[in-house]
Amino acid sequence: KKPSATEPTNFPPLEGARRQLFIFRSADACYEVSKLAANRAATTDNEPQKFNLGIVYGINGALAVEFYLKCLLEIECNQVPQDHDLQALYFQLPRESRAKLRKRHDKLAPHDSMLANMRKTCGVKTDLEPLLEDGKDVFIQYRYLFEGIPGRTKGLGFLLELFGQVVRNRILDLRPEWLSDESTSPTH
């Protein structure tokens, strides 16, 4: 049973600046977990563990991007959609914001080591929009990977880490006072 808005709760919705900062900090925490998993995967020789750590990296990385997009949507549009589709969230941003994000991502992508490797070894297009199209459902697909992914014929990977950091930086452009809050600064 879904609770109604009239039922008492100890967890009412956050609003305004408190909500924005909570979403932002949640995104930073998920990003940090994704990096911990990626770093551990790089140091283990245990292939099954490496695979599962890669899944943890993808799930938490995608959730971080989702939270960053939702934070930006809350700041710019006063809305937090309940969608997990990263591409759909991106397209709900104002045109000007999307243009800034796309321009910055596409400028940095050629110099990003992971994206450069994927371009070279797999022929992946690393412009933002093809990456968003391919990775829009990574959060859902990775969480339920054991159920299979119907219709998926190409490999699966999380290639939106750079984009998440671009969105994060856009948020900090709009909320520079958050830079002084050390708890929101992930280690990287």
Side-chain angles (χ1 to χ4, degrees):
K1 175 183 168 191
K2 187 174 182 177
S4 73
T6 59
E7 292 182 28
T9 179
N10 289 331
F11 302 98
L14 297 176
E15 296 179 0
R18 261 184 90 204
R19 179 179 171 122
Q20 294 169 8
L21 187 56
F22 183 86
I23 298 168
F24 184 77
R25 287 178 173 164
S26 296
D28 275 354
C30 290
Y31 175 71
E32 192 163 350
V33 168
S34 75
K35 293 303 290 179
L36 288 169
N39 291 340
R40 180 65 183 110
T43 63
T44 184
D45 293 328
N46 181 322
E47 289 303 316
Q49 182 184 34
K50 187 179 290 212
F51 178 81
N52 285 98
L53 287 166
I55 298 300
V56 170
Y57 165 74
I59 291 169
N60 285 279
L63 188 54
V65 174
E66 178 183 333
F67 284 155
Y68 286 132
L69 286 167
K70 287 180 176 184
C71 182
L72 188 55
L73 280 161
E74 170 67 19
I75 291 168
E76 293 189 334
C77 305
N78 199 31
Q79 65 161 327
V80 180
Q82 292 192 356
D83 201 341
H84 295 297
D85 181 321
L86 302 178
Q87 185 179 46
L89 293 169
Y90 169 76
F91 279 116
Q92 290 180 54
L93 291 167
R95 180 178 287 127
E96 177 186 337
S97 189
R98 288 193 319 263
K100 286 179 180 183
L101 294 171
R102 183 178 49 252
K103 181 178 179 182
R104 185 69 180 146
H105 176 276
D106 292 350
K107 181 178 180 180
L108 294 173
H111 311 287
D112 182 88
S113 60
M114 180 172 51
L115 293 178
N117 183 49
M118 293 305 290
R119 258 191 323 277
K120 183 178 176 182
T121 60
C122 303
V124 171
K125 291 182 182 179
T126 57
D127 293 338
L128 178 58
E129 294 195 359
L131 290 177
L132 272 173
E133 173 63 32
D134 190 57
K136 65 185 178 182
D137 294 322
V138 165
F139 179 68
I140 293 167
Q141 291 174 343
Y142 271 43
R143 284 186 321 175
Y144 302 112
L145 189 60
F146 58 89
E147 293 179 357
I149 304 173
R152 180 88 184 189
T153 58
K154 55 186 170 179
L156 187 64
F158 176 67
L159 300 177
L160 293 170
E161 180 181 332
L162 173 64
F163 176 60
Q165 294 306 292
V166 168
V167 177
R168 182 182 194 277
N169 289 337
R170 170 90 174 125
I171 293 166
L172 291 173
D173 287 345
L174 299 170
R175 296 290 186 268
E177 65 276 14
W178 293 356
L179 282 168
S180 62
D181 185 356
E182 293 211 355
S183 67
T184 65
S185 300
T187 54
H188 54 325

